[in-house]
Every structure is written in C-alpha cells, then in structure tokens.
Amino acid sequence: MLLTPEVLTIDILNLLFVVFATLAFYYSVKIVSRYDRNATTPLQYNLEKQSYLVSVVIKFIFYTKVLLFIFFIFTLDDISNILPGAMCGAGVVNATQYGTYLLILKVINLYIFAYWLVLNNEDMKSEQQIYLQLKLKIYLFAYFLLILEIGLESLMFLSIDTKSVVDCCGAIFSTTDGTYMAHLLSVNPVMLLGSFYALFAFIVLAYKIKNRYLFSLMNLLFVIAALVSLIGFFGTYIYELPTHHCPFCLLQKDYNYIGYLLYIFLFIGTFFGIVLGLVPFRQEDENAKYKISLFFTTLYVIAVSYYPLAYYIKNGVWL
C-alpha cells in the first residue's frame, strides 16, 4: 500500500468525486426519465432547477478530472523514485496488473469528460437547453467510466509493493522481445512517418474544404498515429538515443519537461478537432474551433519534427 502525499491527495479527491458524482447520477436518472420540455407543471420547473445544480456539480468534477490528469502523471513520475528498478512513470504503470488499463482508460475519459464540458457549455448558451437530455444521458455513461477509473486507480496504488523490483522503461519499451510493444516499435519508420504526415495533410485539407466530419475523423486517427510515431520515432531524437522509446521520460527535467508541452498540444489540437464532428456549433464558434485545433496540431507537428531535423543538421546522419 502506497501513501505518499500525492497519492493521499488523489485518494481524498476520488472520495469526494464518488460522493458527488453518485448524487449527480441519481438526479440525472430522475431528470432523464421524467423531464418533458413541453410541459409546464411544477414538477418540470423543479426538474429544470435540479438539472442546473446537477450540471454545476458534474462540471466541477470533470474540470477537476481533466486538470488532475497532469497531476496524476506527475505523481507516477514522483513515485518512480521510491520503486526499485523504476526510472520513470513507466515502471510505476508496469508495477501492477492495473496500471496499463488505468492509463488507457484515463486517456479515453479525458476526451469524454472534455466533450461533456463542451456540450454543457453549448447547452447553457441556449434558452431552451436543447442538449439537456443528451448531456445527462452521456453523463450516465461517463459516470460508470469515472467509477471504473477511480476503482482501478485505488487498486493500483494499493497493489504497489515498494520492496519489489520493477522493470525500467528500457525493458518495457525494448524492441528485442516478443511483446506487442516490440512489434509496434518494429514498424518501418517510413510507414510511421508516412501515416503521421499524411493524416496531418488530410486535416489541413479538411480544414480548407470545411468538412467537419472529415476533420473530426482525421483528428481521431491522428491521435493514434501521433502517439505511435512519438514512441517509435520522434522520441529517439529527443533522447538522441536510438534504443530509448519511453513516452514517460519526456516528462522529466533531463529533457526540459518537453513531454508536458507535446501532450498538451496534442490533446488540445485533436480534442477540438474531434468535437467538431460531434456538436453542431454556430458558424462563429465552429470557425474558432477549427482554428484552435489546427493551430495546436500544427504546433505539435512542428515541435516533434524539429528534433530529427536538428539532429541531422548537427550530426549529418539519421539515428
């Protein structure tokens, strides 16, 4: 059982999330099942008032969870200092059977929680609250993901044994064993880079022709291509070491914490791109989200492209 100040902070916040999220879940079920937009009975007015309170509670939880993701990553990195064998957060994730599933779920939840926040924002702009039923139905689904995430997080921290030796990132992201990760890292760099830059080109094309569905789909695929190419190719140039593929070491001081910047660019760019295909924004808002998405995605592409180019200019060879 691990009890560092960071873990205790996360545990206390999780307890508060469970209490308030469950209350919000109860009232959401009530509103979804009984609310009628066209009715003018006292019950409907009460449900409208309750929906406002519920939305505020959910908004607080999801905003905190989105911001808390960065703190969670920081905590993993911090814990690696007390685990024998761990050199970064990758060793902590791999220390228990729950870590990998938790990390994947956290990334998925990050996009779902942020989507709910955007939908709620659009709903509050409308006097008729046109997304009231939809956002609460989405919350009913998101609630189970939230509880699952908190459960996995608790299990992971409870299961960590600070006396057991864990694998370092060099072993986890090795290209010489027969794991799925090894096969992934063995993909031809030309194919990796071709997919990465081709998807970015399609994003630019979709922006030019203002096709929000194509823009959304390309951003969704770009997230996958960006993460795989970062681990398989771009990361090695940031480390200037062909055998170093760890996506967590990018978050350390030795590499100027560049990982935080890259992941924030990638999340903001792709999230606003994906959400364009899910919410019919007003023209002015749609244009703004196109620009935000393309701006941050372009920043990400420029940032990761800089490292191999700078390495080649400085050394005259590729890794």
Side-chain angles (χ1 to χ4, degrees):
M1 185 174 179
L2 195 63
L3 286 177
T4 66
E6 292 83 5
V7 173
L8 276 174
T9 303
I10 290 175
D11 286 342
I12 292 169
L13 286 173
N14 279 344
L15 182 61
L16 292 174
F17 291 151
V18 169
V19 172
F20 285 101
T22 303
L23 284 172
F25 179 82
Y26 168 76
Y27 283 103
S28 295
V29 171
K30 187 176 164 186
I31 294 165
V32 166
S33 60
R34 303 178 70 180
Y35 180 70
D36 180 0
R37 185 192 310 278
N38 299 316
T40 55
T41 62
L43 172 65
Q44 299 308 312
Y45 288 121
N46 283 333
L47 290 176
E48 278 195 16
K49 290 177 184 176
Q50 290 172 2
S51 72
Y52 181 79
L53 179 60
V54 166
S55 297
V56 171
V57 171
I58 300 171
K59 186 169 77 170
F60 169 77
I61 294 171
F62 285 176
Y63 264 125
T64 311
K65 286 297 292 180
V66 170
L67 295 175
L68 203 59
F69 183 80
I70 297 174
F71 183 70
F72 172 76
I73 297 298
F74 167 80
T75 301
L76 292 183
D77 229 30
D78 191 56
I79 292 173
S80 67
N81 294 320
I82 59 174
L83 286 189
M87 297 178 68
C88 64
V92 183
V93 170
N94 201 50
T96 72
Q97 58 181 312
Y98 310 106
T100 303
Y101 299 113
L102 173 63
L103 191 63
I104 294 171
L105 181 62
K106 271 187 173 289
V107 173
I108 294 171
N109 283 354
L110 196 64
Y111 282 86
I112 292 175
F113 296 164
Y115 166 57
W116 190 94
L117 290 170
V118 169
L119 197 61
N120 179 62
N121 190 47
E122 290 302 303
D123 188 52
M124 290 301 177
K125 289 179 183 175
S126 164
E127 291 183 0
Q128 291 78 32
Q129 289 191 284
I130 54 177
Y131 295 122
L132 178 61
Q133 292 270 20
L134 176 61
K135 72 179 184 184
L136 291 182
K137 287 178 181 174
I138 291 172
Y139 172 69
L140 297 182
F141 172 68
Y143 170 78
F144 289 106
L145 294 179
L146 174 69
I147 297 300
L148 179 61
E149 178 187 318
I150 290 173
L152 280 176
E153 199 165 52
S154 301
L155 284 171
M156 187 189 82
F157 288 135
L158 284 170
S159 305
I160 290 177
D161 182 357
T162 54
K163 295 178 181 174
S164 296
V165 178
V166 300
D167 288 335
C168 73
C169 54
I172 298 167
F173 296 96
S174 168
T175 58
T176 56
D177 53 23
T179 63
Y180 289 113
M181 184 57 68
H183 290 303
L184 187 65
L185 297 177
S186 301
V187 175
N188 189 322
V190 175
M191 189 182 295
L192 271 183
L193 294 182
S195 305
F196 176 77
Y197 287 110
L199 284 168
F200 178 65
F202 275 116
I203 288 174
V204 176
L205 175 66
Y207 170 74
K208 291 287 184 187
I209 63 176
K210 291 291 187 291
N211 185 320
R212 67 187 182 95
Y213 295 111
L214 180 63
F215 193 79
S216 177
L217 177 63
M218 291 300 108
N219 271 281
L220 181 62
L221 297 176
F222 184 77
V223 178
I224 301 167
L227 291 175
V228 174
S229 59
L230 180 65
I231 297 171
F233 179 79
F234 292 113
T236 60
Y237 284 91
I238 296 173
Y239 302 129
E240 298 189 345
L241 192 63
T243 55
H244 198 173
H245 294 279
C246 179
F248 284 91
C249 287
L250 298 172
L251 304 166
Q252 295 189 338
K253 184 182 178 182
D254 296 342
Y255 305 101
N256 301 312
Y257 307 106
I258 187 64
Y260 287 102
L261 207 58
L262 292 178
Y263 294 134
I264 288 172
F265 285 169
L266 184 62
F267 172 70
I268 296 176
T270 55
F271 171 73
F272 280 102
I274 293 169
V275 83
L276 271 170
L278 301 175
V279 182
F281 296 103
R282 292 179 301 179
Q283 192 61 48
E284 186 180 336
D285 293 336
E286 184 176 300
N287 289 337
K289 285 175 175 57
Y290 266 124
K291 290 176 182 174
I292 292 171
S293 172
L294 192 61
F295 176 74
F296 280 98
T297 304
T298 304
L299 275 184
Y300 177 82
V301 172
I302 291 172
V304 294
S305 301
Y306 162 78
Y307 287 96
L309 287 175
Y311 184 88
Y312 183 78
I313 291 170
K314 191 165 60 177
N315 300 290
V317 292
W318 301 105
L319 283 174

